[in-house]
Amino acid sequence: MSRASYDVAIAGAGIVGAACADELARRGLRVAVIGEDIVGSGATAAGMGHIVVMDDSEAQFALTRYSQQLWQALRPELPSNVEYEQCGTIWVAAGDEEMIEVHRKHAYYGERGVTTKVLDAKELKNLEPNLRLGMSGGLLVPEDAVISPSSAALFLMERAQALGARLMLGAKVARIGEGTVCLTDGTEMSAEIIVNAAGVSSPDLTPGIDVKKRKGHLVITDRYPGFVRHELVELGYLKSAHALSGDSVAFNVQPRRAGQVLIGSSRQTGAEYKEVDHAILARMLERAQQYLPGLSQMATVRTWTGFRPATPDNLPLIGPWIGDKSVFLATGHEGLGITTSLGTGRILADQITGTKPAIPVEPYLPARKAKEHAHT
Ligand SMILES: Cc1cc2nc3c(=O)[nH]c(=O)nc-3n(C[C@H](O)[C@H](O)[C@H](O)COP(=O)(O)OP(=O)(O)OC[C@H]3O[C@@H](n4cnc5c(N)ncnc54)[C@H](O)[C@@H]3O)c2cc1C
């Protein structure tokens, strides 16, 4: 019996695999996606769904901004269950010294065409009356949005399928390489290109890539419509996001369409168990209550954990793998993979089809690690 053959086979049906499938199918390629369980499981099911422009590095800014614009363009086509809400982000300054960072961010975004507004204490209080008294102000980024990540992944996958992509669920990839995908049940498939989009499991399929699990906790409350109106994030968030070791928490709270309040976030490296860690959960909630005291009175309905696929330099791996010319990587998106899934799909498809990408891809190429090693 001849084995199935595709232009591109994608291992992993999270939001990154779905976005890659959608983009590659739109370019007329014969695509297969293999997912071990359901579409949008893994980190995608655990994520907050904040579509956010970030400025930790030029490369991070470029990919988040490009992706955000792709989400905006897609917005008219998104079904209502994706719950796209352009609520904006407010980066909250808890003290006067944090206003320095507000002004820095305002200038950085402004120079790059992103509209923001510096808020003084009174304006902040008017926009978010439930923040505790004594906040110094903040930065409003009106174009940031929130979505429901799993529904978005499903939408992208269904679009890919409508364009002819084949979706194989309940199928676990055992090995990839040299144009062959081997499933754990012994099935083999041929593909010109194999994309490793297996999130935190990507190193199992491509040994040697440095992607580690970074655990996070989230809590969602019962319905309290209007309690928060924007995604509220403390200015210290990036420090927490980029701590490469140890545990950290940061205030990050999101309004959901149904009136629930989604409370994050924590980061733990080296915590491989998926069970709730009550010590860090307590720290996370305490931090949130320091900003929003009213949270302490609220009923919560669910707590969960997830694992972000993290790289040492906090940038994803998007492009050809140096160890095998048939393998491309689309992994390592850490806490920004919902946002950057669309940009990832585009620049991966650009590289596969030899199209000029809209943003420089060098910072995300897996080969950057090899170059670094060559210079040390
Ligand atoms: C608590 C938390 C909050 C977050 N908040 C945000 C946010 O607000 N905004 C944002 O942009 N990002 C956020 N993220 C990050 C985001 O969720 C991830 O970066 C993103 O979901 C990664 O998507 P992925 O498709 O690469 O991986 P995953 O979603 O993990 O998908 C990988 C898929 O591959 C499958 N798979 C693995 N191995 C195999 C195999 N061998 N064979 C077949 N299938 C396989 C898995 O089952 C899974 O379905 C958050 C993450 C967490 C944990």
Side-chain angles (χ1 to χ4, degrees), residues 71-72 75 78 82-86 143 145-147 257:
W71 280 112
Q72 288 168 351
R75 187 178 180 176
L78 295 174
V82 173
E83 298 188 10
Y84 187 106
E85 296 282 351
Q86 196 178 311
E143 284 185 62
V146 304
I147 60 167
R257 184 178 282 177

Side-chain angles (χ1 to χ4, degrees), residues 83-211:
E83 298 188 10
Y84 187 106
E85 296 282 351
Q86 196 178 311
C87 58
T89 302
I90 298 178
W91 294 88
V92 180
D96 288 348
E97 69 289 357
E98 289 189 353
M99 287 305 285
I100 298 169
E101 176 61 5
V102 163
H103 288 285
R104 187 206 60 78
K105 249 177 156 20
H106 174 64
Y108 182 95
Y109 284 146
E111 283 157 16
R112 289 159 185 79
V114 179
T115 303
T116 63
K117 184 176 187 305
V118 175
L119 306 171
D120 63 19
K122 198 168 158 227
E123 289 167 319
L124 178 66
K125 194 75 189 156
N126 283 341
L127 289 177
E128 292 291 347
N130 289 309
L131 279 169
R132 85 163 153 76
L133 286 173
M135 296 292 169
S136 296
L139 186 74
L140 172 65
V141 188
E143 284 185 62
D144 286 354
V146 304
I147 60 167
S148 168
S150 296
S151 303
L154 197 58
F155 164 76
L156 292 169
M157 193 66 84
E158 284 173 355
R159 263 191 5 158
Q161 287 176 274
L163 292 164
R166 179 175 175 208
L167 175 62
M168 299 165 68
L169 293 179
K172 184 163 177 152
V173 177
R175 280 185 316 282
I176 57 173
E178 294 174 357
T180 302
V181 177
C182 305
L183 306 186
T184 49
D185 68 2
T187 309
E188 291 195 356
M189 298 154 58
S190 301
E192 292 278 314
I193 301 291
I194 303 157
V195 178
N196 181 349
V200 291
S201 300
S202 51
D204 297 345
L205 301 180
T206 309
I209 60 172
D210 198 353
V211 173

Side-chain angles (χ1 to χ4, degrees), residues 8-27:
V8 185
I10 301 171
I15 197 160
V16 171
C20 293
D22 178 43
E23 191 58 39
L24 289 160
R26 284 206 301 139
R27 296 190 194 199

Side-chain angles (χ1 to χ4, degrees), residues 19-83:
C20 293
D22 178 43
E23 191 58 39
L24 289 160
R26 284 206 301 139
R27 296 190 194 199
L29 299 180
R30 288 172 306 128
V31 176
V33 185
I34 306 116
E36 63 187 343
D37 42 35
I38 56 169
V39 174
S41 63
T44 300
M48 279 186 103
H50 189 197
I51 304 297
V52 57
V53 177
M54 295 286 261
D55 62 347
D56 184 46
S57 63
E58 288 297 339
Q60 189 190 66
F61 174 82
L63 188 59
T64 53
R65 179 61 171 158
Y66 177 46
S67 298
Q68 184 179 70
Q69 289 170 328
L70 294 173
W71 280 112
Q72 288 168 351
L74 194 57
R75 187 178 180 176
E77 291 173 53
L78 295 174
S80 66
N81 69 352
V82 173
E83 298 188 10

Side-chain angles (χ1 to χ4, degrees), residues 45-48 216-220 262 274 276 281 302-306:
M48 279 186 103
H217 289 72
L218 293 176
V219 174
I220 195 156
L262 180 54
K274 68 175 184 346
V276 170
L281 179 66
R302 195 179 153 227
T303 300
W304 68 94
T305 66

